[in-house]
Amino acid sequence: MATIRFGFGRLNFHLLKRRSFFLLKLIAVVFAVLLFCEFLIYYLVIFQCNWPKVKTSAYHSEQETHESVLKAMFLADTHLLGEVRGHWLDKLRREWQMERAFQTALWLLQPEVVFILGDIFDEGKWSSSQAWADDVARFQKMFRHPPHVQLKVVAGNHDIGFHYQMDTYRIKRFEKVFNPERLFSWKGINFVMVNSVALEGDGCNICSEAEAELMEISHKLNCSREHFPLYRRSDANCSGEDAAPPEERSIPFKERYDVLSREASQKLLWWLQPRLVLSGHTHSACRVLHGAGIPELSVPSFSWRNRNNPSFIMGSMTPTKHVLAKCYLPLEDTVLITYCGAAGFLVVIILVDLGLLASPFLLGCKLLRKFKTI
């Protein structure tokens, strides 16, 4: 009997050892998939992005041009979810995606200045003081940056409300967190950050103040930044993989809601005479020309919540030139497919280990033998 018990003991030991090894393999697979989908994929995708090169002139060496080029990064419509419409799982997923994308881009690309073109928060226009403070704390954690990197934020309609919702309290609350400066200059390049929500043109106090500020700095301008796009009828002439869906491109835009009014757009172009306009709000990409060939680029949303293929713009700029390039983030579909594939793989190997499913390897060998026999 002693020998029999000893035999059973050895059998149980080997079975326990085999199960433990199998469990470790499962844990390793799960860890590897998580590591890839939540960290490595951002490095693999953003590593492919490069700053566009500014052509050197005959009077400047390549080294001089490199030192004078400003590396600017532009993103838009992060829409951090609030306490009313934000499900905790949705908030966790989208905010982790944006945090990893932003931190990876900072580490790999090392921009000197980052502009966020409006709609930082999804519920800023109606959030309570406590909810606002919580949203701001989450934003500052997600978009943390070293001191040598400048972060400039433009107000959007979701941050302070549309014209009929906007008031001094919401604007001051926003400007208390984000520097209210309208004109930002670096390396001889002027950036004008416009509160386009206030360009209603109806003579309200906030609108009058915004127009007065623009007129005051209109003598100094090189480049302009918006939130609302300048006036255009629709996205009918927009194309590309991150443009609006084909069925939506011909839908007319509403002035003062989807785009600035025709009058406000003409005023901005006349006052500021920009070389370049970048805007957010539509969540889709579009490039249009205004007036005497002034380009405007609508920057797509940075969040998976608004796009399957979010992106940001990389700009290499000098006082006389600018070159832009787009950097795409990982597709949400790619991550979801990877998780689904990994889950299916885990189910198969568990069923094989339990003897409920034949091993694909053994099944393949049997089929190969039958094929040879035939």
Side-chain angles (χ1 to χ4, degrees), residues 124-142:
K125 55 188 176 182
W126 64 55
S127 60
S128 64
S129 298
Q130 185 57 53
W132 172 263
D134 293 342
D135 292 346
V136 167
R138 291 189 351 259
F139 171 85
Q140 291 173 338
K141 173 184 175 296
M142 292 166 56

Side-chain angles (χ1 to χ4, degrees), residues 134-244:
D134 293 342
D135 292 346
V136 167
R138 291 189 351 259
F139 171 85
Q140 291 173 338
K141 173 184 175 296
M142 292 166 56
F143 293 92
R144 61 191 181 277
H145 54 281
H148 65 272
V149 176
Q150 297 280 336
L151 179 66
K152 303 297 178 181
V153 177
V154 180
N157 60 290
H158 277 264
D159 303 314
I160 59 175
F162 278 106
H163 177 263
Y164 61 88
Q165 298 170 310
M166 176 183 61
D167 57 28
T168 303
Y169 169 74
R170 291 187 179 92
I171 293 176
K172 295 299 182 184
R173 182 170 72 171
F174 185 88
E175 291 181 345
K176 186 177 180 180
V177 177
F178 306 104
N179 197 317
E181 65 181 331
R182 295 285 178 263
L183 178 62
F184 168 68
S185 301
W186 199 350
K187 291 189 174 181
I189 308 166
N190 296 322
F191 299 89
V192 178
M193 291 167 283
V194 179
N195 177 8
S196 52
V197 183
L199 298 181
E200 188 76 7
D202 63 354
C204 72
N205 290 336
I206 296 174
C207 299
S208 298
E209 290 176 7
E211 290 190 6
E213 286 180 344
L214 290 175
M215 292 180 68
E216 186 177 343
I217 64 176
S218 63
H219 304 291
K220 304 176 182 178
L221 119 21
N222 286 93
C223 296
S224 171
R225 305 286 177 261
E226 317 285 347
H227 170 60
F228 281 170
L230 297 181
Y231 174 79
R232 62 176 183 263
R233 292 190 177 186
S234 68
D235 272 351
N237 296 322
C238 304
S239 60
E241 59 184 297
D242 55 354

Side-chain angles (χ1 to χ4, degrees), residues 29-192:
V29 171
V30 171
F31 178 77
V33 173
L34 285 172
L35 182 64
F36 174 77
C37 290
E38 304 302 332
F39 287 94
L40 296 181
I41 192 171
Y42 294 97
Y43 290 92
L44 293 174
V45 173
I46 297 177
F47 180 75
Q48 302 173 52
C49 302
N50 295 293
W51 291 100
K53 292 185 178 180
V54 178
K55 293 182 179 178
T56 58
S57 66
Y59 303 100
H60 297 87
S61 68
E62 186 172 343
Q63 178 65 23
E64 289 175 330
T65 302
H66 175 74
E67 291 176 352
S68 63
V69 171
L70 177 66
K71 294 180 179 179
M73 180 173 150
F74 304 90
L75 55 102
D77 296 285
T78 53
H79 282 273
L80 271 70
L81 293 171
E83 65 177 4
V84 178
R85 300 193 302 184
H87 187 275
W88 69 268
L89 182 59
D90 193 14
K91 290 167 69 173
L92 176 66
R93 186 79 195 117
R94 301 331 187 189
E95 292 180 9
W96 176 255
Q97 170 256 323
M98 289 190 286
E99 180 177 351
R100 290 316 318 148
F102 185 75
Q103 296 303 323
T104 303
L106 284 186
W107 190 79
L108 289 177
L109 302 174
Q110 299 183 4
E112 297 170 87
V113 59
V114 178
F115 292 92
I116 304 183
L117 307 181
D119 283 354
I120 290 84
F121 307 109
D122 194 60
E123 301 177 9
K125 55 188 176 182
W126 64 55
S127 60
S128 64
S129 298
Q130 185 57 53
W132 172 263
D134 293 342
D135 292 346
V136 167
R138 291 189 351 259
F139 171 85
Q140 291 173 338
K141 173 184 175 296
M142 292 166 56
F143 293 92
R144 61 191 181 277
H145 54 281
H148 65 272
V149 176
Q150 297 280 336
L151 179 66
K152 303 297 178 181
V153 177
V154 180
N157 60 290
H158 277 264
D159 303 314
I160 59 175
F162 278 106
H163 177 263
Y164 61 88
Q165 298 170 310
M166 176 183 61
D167 57 28
T168 303
Y169 169 74
R170 291 187 179 92
I171 293 176
K172 295 299 182 184
R173 182 170 72 171
F174 185 88
E175 291 181 345
K176 186 177 180 180
V177 177
F178 306 104
N179 197 317
E181 65 181 331
R182 295 285 178 263
L183 178 62
F184 168 68
S185 301
W186 199 350
K187 291 189 174 181
I189 308 166
N190 296 322
F191 299 89
V192 178

